[in-house]
Each structure stands twice: as structure tokens, then as C-alpha cells.
Amino acid sequence: MNQRLEIEEISEELLDSLKQKSLEARNLSYNIYSKFAVGCALLTESGDVFVGANVENASYPACICAERVAIVQALMKGHKKFRAIVVSSSGEDVVSPCGVCRQFIFEFGPDTSVYMLGNEGKKTIKYTISELLPLGFGPSHLGK
């Protein structure tokens, strides 16, 4: 079982900035099939921010979610520890990372804070990825 780490809370000002970046990232979404735009903003441990948007494909399994787009960008810049991820969508209600994204986020920090926004960011809920993926399988299970 993973031991919960104490993560420094992010300021309201920083959270507002991340929310705005997540909402703006939705505009970059390539969602010609579902018409469901998702954007996210990822805050690394060092304070850098990466954004992502969902990218659909005619071959549906080849689609990639906004969260994984942002994480891959961060990884390509050498970041492997994340403090928070903010997810927004064009839907009316709060959107949660899908199961694949939950696993992907969990890989890099079971205590990463996940902020989920309703449309336009008026409603926000927060969980850690461990709360969204209880009993998650991660590097510690492989002795890493």
C-alpha cells in the first residue's frame, strides 16, 4: 500500500491560472467525431505547466485523452513528478479522467491532486488520483 505524502496545497491564484489554462486548452481539441472537447493543465513538481487536449481519430482506439497529451509533453521535457492536474470539458457537468488516464497519472504520483471542472470552471471538485483509483497498480508493485 502506498503511503500518502503531504503535498503542498496550491494557492487559489495558481489554481485559477491552471483552471483558465485547462479551459483554453479545450479550444485545441480535435474532436470531430464526439464533439466533446477536453482540456487539461498539468502542474509539475518544479512549477512548470503543460497543457493538453483530446485528439480523436477515425480509428477510435487511436484517440488520446487530454491528460495523457499533457503528461507526455511533460515527460519529454524531463518532468516525472506532478503536483496537480486540472481537467475541463465542453460538457455541462464535472468531467473525471477516464480509467486509462487514471492509471497513467497514478504511474507518476499516487498523491497527485486532480481538479475536475464543470463547464466554464464554475464548479470544481478535487481528489487525489489514489482516491480516484483505489488500490491502484503502480511501480511499487514491480519493486520500482
Side-chain angles (χ1 to χ4, degrees), residues 6-60:
E6 287 302 317
I7 295 181
E8 178 185 332
E9 287 295 318
I10 61 176
S11 70
E12 204 60 40
E13 181 181 10
L14 179 55
L15 179 56
D16 287 344
S17 174
L18 292 169
K19 285 180 178 182
Q20 187 60 39
K21 289 177 187 308
S22 175
L23 292 166
E24 290 169 1
R26 290 183 317 177
N27 296 328
L28 302 173
S29 172
Y30 180 76
N31 59 25
I32 65 171
Y33 303 103
S34 72
K35 306 295 187 224
F36 190 78
V38 179
C40 80
L42 174 70
L43 177 65
T44 68
E45 188 176 69
S46 64
D48 291 313
V49 177
F50 293 87
V51 297
N54 59 316
V55 179
E56 296 179 347
N57 190 288
S59 173
Y60 293 139

Side-chain angles (χ1 to χ4, degrees), residues 86-108:
V86 178
V87 183
S88 64
S89 80
S90 57
E92 288 301 314
D93 205 0
V94 169
V95 65
S96 168
C98 73
V100 172
C101 286
R102 290 176 189 206
Q103 180 63 47
F104 212 80
I105 297 164
F106 189 90
E107 177 76 15
F108 301 101

Side-chain angles (χ1 to χ4, degrees), residues 73-95:
Q73 287 188 74
L75 290 169
M76 295 302 100
K77 295 291 185 181
H79 299 278
K80 292 187 179 91
K81 294 188 185 279
F82 310 128
R83 290 180 58 196
I85 190 163
V86 178
V87 183
S88 64
S89 80
S90 57
E92 288 301 314
D93 205 0
V94 169
V95 65

